[in-house]
Amino acid sequence: MIRIPRDVLDAMIRQAGEELPDEACGLLTGTDGVVQARHALTNMDHSPEHFSFSPQEQFNVLKEARRNGRKIIANYHSHPASPARPSEEDIRLALDSQIVYVIISLAAEEPVVKAFHIADSVVRPCEIVVSEIVISD
């Protein structure tokens, strides 16, 4: 299970819409499965079909998380025109089995957000609990 504050989830969905037609991406940091901060990152691929993080931005998030006693607990990205499920490429590139992978689909009229654990190419759903705690990022 991952707990995501409502304002963070809303910001992720807003980012996904703003970065159309490309995939949006970022990291979520926190502790014990509770998101405490969202970090929007640059999709270095500038593509509607895949993404890659800026290595420098990713390193900066890791440094900030450690400084604040947090860990990277999830990464997120959008699927502008496909369902909220991991693609073959998403599964192949899911190298950290300790984090949650969150996908925001904009394929339907309303955004759909789902989360997954991916380990050794095995995909398992992960429950998202949306909290009303407000976090400014």
Side-chain angles (χ1 to χ4, degrees), residues 49-126:
E49 297 174 354
H50 48 86
F51 74 98
S52 61
F53 294 139
S54 156
Q56 185 61 54
E57 289 176 353
Q58 191 173 11
F59 180 69
N60 291 344
V61 170
L62 182 59
K63 282 190 340 188
E64 180 184 328
R66 287 181 176 164
R67 188 172 49 250
N68 292 312
R70 300 177 185 148
K71 294 181 179 180
I72 294 172
I73 60 173
N75 84 31
Y76 68 90
H77 73 280
S78 63
H79 283 183
S82 60
R85 66 174 175 253
S87 67
E88 288 183 27
E89 181 175 304
D90 293 336
I91 295 167
R92 184 174 49 79
L93 296 175
L95 302 176
D96 188 345
S97 63
Q98 302 301 305
I99 67 170
V100 174
Y101 295 87
V102 179
I103 299 174
I104 305 151
S105 172
L106 302 177
E109 191 170 318
E110 290 295 319
V112 176
V113 181
K114 294 186 179 180
F116 304 90
H117 291 285
I118 305 173
D120 298 321
S121 299
V122 175
V123 178
R124 293 179 300 119
C126 175

Side-chain angles (χ1 to χ4, degrees), residues 1-5 29-37 73 131 133 135:
M1 171 178 57
I2 185 168
R3 291 187 180 275
I4 304 176
T29 59
T31 56
D32 300 320
V34 178
V35 173
Q36 296 170 307
I73 60 173
S131 65
I133 297 170
I135 296 178

